[in-house]
Structure formats: C-alpha cells, structure tokens
Amino acid sequence: MASSIRPTLSLFNPSPRLSFSHFSTVVPQSKSFALKACRMFRKNGNSVRVMASGNVSSSLTASSPENVLEWVKQDKRRMLHVVYRVGDLDRTIKFYTECLGMKLLRKRDIPEEKYTNAFLGYGPEDSHFVIELTYNYGVEKYDIGTGFGHFGIAVDDIIKTVELIRVKGGKISREPGPVKGGKTVIAFIEDPDGYKFELLERGPTPEPLCQVMLRVGDLNRSIEFYEKAFGMELLRTRDNPENKYTIAMLGYGPEDKTTVLELTYNYGVTEYDKGNAYAQIAIGTDDVYKTAEAIKLSTGKVTREPGPLPGINTKITACLDPDGWKTVFVDNIDFLKELE
C-alpha cells in the first residue's frame, strides 16, 4: 500500500491508499519529517524515545511488555468514527439525515486532492461516534466486498423508522421482527450505495450509532487481539449452529450506552474480500507510542509508526488486525484540538 500522507486528522482513505488532509489547507510534507519521526538511545539500560525536535516523548518506553499490555487496559479509549467511500455524497447525506435522523456535522471539500468529506452522526464528534463519508471526484461506485457486514442503529420505534425509509425509496432487506432465538426486534435496510444498516429497537440511548460489524476468519484469534492490543472488553458471544455462525461483541462500555464492534465468524470461512469501499475505524488513545508497542506485542501489523503528522502536531498510529481490518489511533488531546 502506498503511503501518501497529507497533514490532517481526517483519518480516512479518500482513495485506496492511506492519506490525510488538513481541515482547510494542505501543508506539504517537510523534508525533516521524511526522516525518522523519533530516534532511540539507551539510558541506564532502558530504551528512551526522543522526538526529532529533541524533546523527550511523554511515553518513555522503559516499560516491560507486560506493563505495556497492562497499560492498554487503563488507557482512555473511545471509538471516534468510521470511514467509508460513497458514490454520490449529496444523495447519501440526504438519505442519512431524512431517513436515519442523523445530523450533518460538517463538510469539507479538498479540490486539489479531488475529494470531499462529510461527517454525520447523532451528536458532536467530541462525545459521539460518527460517520465520515468520502467522495472521490468522478468515482460513482465501489466494491463493498464480502468482509464488511453492517452498521447498527438503535431506534425507539422500528416500525415507524422502516416505513419512513420505505416511503423515501429506501431498500428494506429484512422486515421488522424478533431476532432468531431472541426477543430484540430488528430490521435491515440498505443505503443508496448498498451499505447495510441493522436497526435495533431500544429505549433512549446516548449512542444511537451503536455497532460496526466485520467478518473474521478466526474468532478466538480476533477476540484475543482486540482484548490484548486494543484493550476492548469481550461483552458477550453468541453461537448460532443452525445458521452456522458465531458472533462476539467487544467494546469500551456496555452495548446500550456505547458503540461496539461486532465480529462474525461463519463456520469454515477463513478469508473475505474486503473490496475498496469500507476504509477504517478511528479510536482515541492517551499515547499512540505505547499503543503501537502493544499492537506489535499482539501480532498486529503497524502500518504507520506513531508520531505527529507533518504540518500539524496531531499524533497518530495505524495498524491492521489479523484479518487485515484497518484501525487508526489518535491522540485524545490532539483530536480535541483539531476539532477546535
């Protein structure tokens, strides 16, 4: 994968490569940043990270692997947003706001890079999980693939929501009804680009955009990785032998109050086509350096070493899980500064 990096906190892939852009301007990558963002030296037998500017990082890597992995459990983490590509931005915004009740939080056009972003959700970005849509000029269609599953939205009245979507011309792929083997009333709909949304009938919740479902080839391996490297809690698992699949819910809080990651294992299926539509999830962290260390200790692949983006001071690191699903970790304080 090419690594064309633009300075921003917009943690998406406007094209199939990794890229970042500033909220309003594009700042060329400095020559100094082309060098290593940090260097290492030994002090009293411990490894200490020093930033390129000469300042000691807030994360002194004198910790043992055990301490790093223990730190992950205490880190203040939150799922920030999910990123994916659409073929008609205005059409998608209209569907999400009129049919799903989301708000358009902000929109940004980057003509020199030939793409536009739109952020939508049910509350401000500093406290809610949101969607980041990317439209690449002239690209009208993407391949969603077989690996991405769906997004979950909690609604008060599922019948009313489904009828509204039907009236607006949306596609209902599963009519409202109890989930198999349970009591929760659900329905499935598709947006104009074919992304699936599971509607779950629930009472009032602080986080209506409540799930991201991805398929994995080895559920136990994935659970171990997300617990160990990401510090997520395994909330529950459910096996459905009749339909030959098992799911696991993981996250940083209870399902009815936070956004969770739903991993699905289909019996005997070890690989999926990821297509080029879905991009990644962004997660906040207090320390991207320790986060990268924990990922490496947990058999994950770091695709962007931790450090500040060129042109701005936002610190990030990016990685792939054992199935190749991408996540970007963002420094919590830097993220809030970017929103200002």
Side-chain angles (χ1 to χ4, degrees):
M1 176 182 294
S3 181
S4 173
I5 302 177
R6 294 188 297 271
T8 187
L9 186 55
S10 176
L11 306 175
F12 60 88
N13 280 354
S15 64
R17 62 189 180 185
L18 171 65
S19 56
F20 301 86
S21 66
H22 192 270
F23 284 140
S24 58
T25 60
V26 175
V27 181
Q29 179 171 325
S30 66
K31 292 182 180 178
S32 61
F33 192 83
L35 302 175
K36 288 186 177 180
C38 62
R39 64 180 185 272
M40 308 293 293
F41 69 88
R42 306 294 296 184
K43 181 178 181 181
N44 298 328
N46 293 324
S47 176
V48 180
R49 178 181 285 105
V50 178
M51 300 307 297
S53 62
N55 296 324
V56 178
S57 166
S58 61
S59 171
L60 296 180
T61 58
S63 300
S64 66
E66 292 78 12
N67 288 342
V68 170
L69 294 176
E70 186 62 30
W71 168 85
V72 168
K73 300 176 184 178
Q74 310 301 322
D75 189 21
K76 295 182 179 64
R77 296 189 173 183
R78 179 176 73 86
M79 292 173 67
L80 304 177
H81 55 253
V82 63
V83 186
Y84 53 99
R85 305 172 183 94
V86 297
D88 186 326
L89 193 59
D90 291 336
R91 178 186 65 183
T92 304
I93 292 172
K94 180 179 176 67
F95 183 84
Y96 287 6
T97 55
E98 294 184 0
C99 296
L100 300 179
M102 294 185 193
K103 296 178 181 179
L104 176 61
L105 303 173
R106 58 189 172 99
K107 189 177 179 182
R108 175 186 60 226
D109 185 42
I110 312 293
E112 61 270 27
E113 299 291 341
K114 298 182 179 180
Y115 71 88
T116 307
N117 298 133
F119 295 78
L120 298 100
Y122 294 100
E125 292 177 64
D126 61 357
S127 58
H128 288 72
F129 185 68
V130 306
I131 288 172
E132 179 181 343
L133 302 176
T134 298
Y135 168 69
N136 291 296
Y137 292 8
V139 183
E140 299 179 354
K141 189 174 179 60
Y142 293 94
D143 176 19
I144 294 178
T146 58
F148 170 78
H150 63 260
F151 304 111
I153 297 180
V155 298
D156 293 331
D157 188 331
I158 199 167
I159 299 294
K160 183 178 179 180
T161 303
V162 167
E163 288 308 311
L164 173 62
I165 294 170
R166 199 191 313 274
V167 169
K168 294 288 186 178
K171 180 180 178 181
I172 314 300
S173 52
R174 184 197 190 277
E175 295 291 339
V179 65
K180 291 182 180 179
K183 297 181 180 179
T184 304
V185 178
I186 68 169
F188 275 91
I189 63 104
E190 293 184 19
D191 78 358
D193 288 274
Y195 291 101
K196 293 181 180 179
F197 285 79
E198 179 182 16
L199 306 179
L200 304 96
E201 191 165 68
R202 291 180 180 172
T205 173
E207 193 63 271
L209 187 55
C210 58
Q211 293 178 3
V212 178
M213 192 276 260
L214 303 173
R215 298 183 177 93
V216 297
D218 184 327
L219 190 59
N220 290 330
R221 178 186 66 183
S222 295
I223 291 172
E224 181 180 3
F225 175 81
Y226 280 97
E227 286 182 318
K228 190 176 178 181
F230 283 31
M232 289 187 177
E233 177 186 354
L234 176 61
L235 303 172
R236 63 183 175 93
T237 60
R238 178 167 59 86
D239 186 36
N240 191 324
E242 180 182 352
N243 293 301
K244 299 182 179 180
Y245 72 84
T246 307
I247 65 168
M249 297 292 195
L250 299 104
Y252 298 110
E255 288 183 62
D256 61 343
K257 291 182 172 59
T258 62
T259 304
V260 300
L261 182 63
E262 177 181 347
L263 301 179
T264 297
Y265 168 69
N266 292 295
Y267 292 7
V269 183
T270 58
E271 293 185 3
Y272 293 93
D273 173 17
K274 294 181 178 60
N276 62 357
Y278 173 86
Q280 64 210 35
I281 290 174
I283 297 176
T285 175
D286 281 344
D287 193 320
V288 298
Y289 299 97
K290 284 185 178 179
T291 294
E293 291 174 23
I295 290 165
K296 293 174 182 177
L297 290 169
S298 307
T299 69
K301 180 180 180 181
V302 172
T303 56
R304 189 199 190 277
E305 291 295 333
L309 290 166
I312 56 176
N313 292 322
T314 301
K315 295 179 287 294
I316 71 159
T317 189
C319 71
L320 301 178
D321 77 356
D323 289 273
W325 294 113
K326 183 179 174 183
T327 301
V328 174
F329 284 88
V330 191
D331 181 89
N332 285 324
I333 294 177
D334 293 346
F335 176 71
L336 294 177
K337 289 180 180 178
E338 281 290 329
L339 293 180
E340 295 174 357

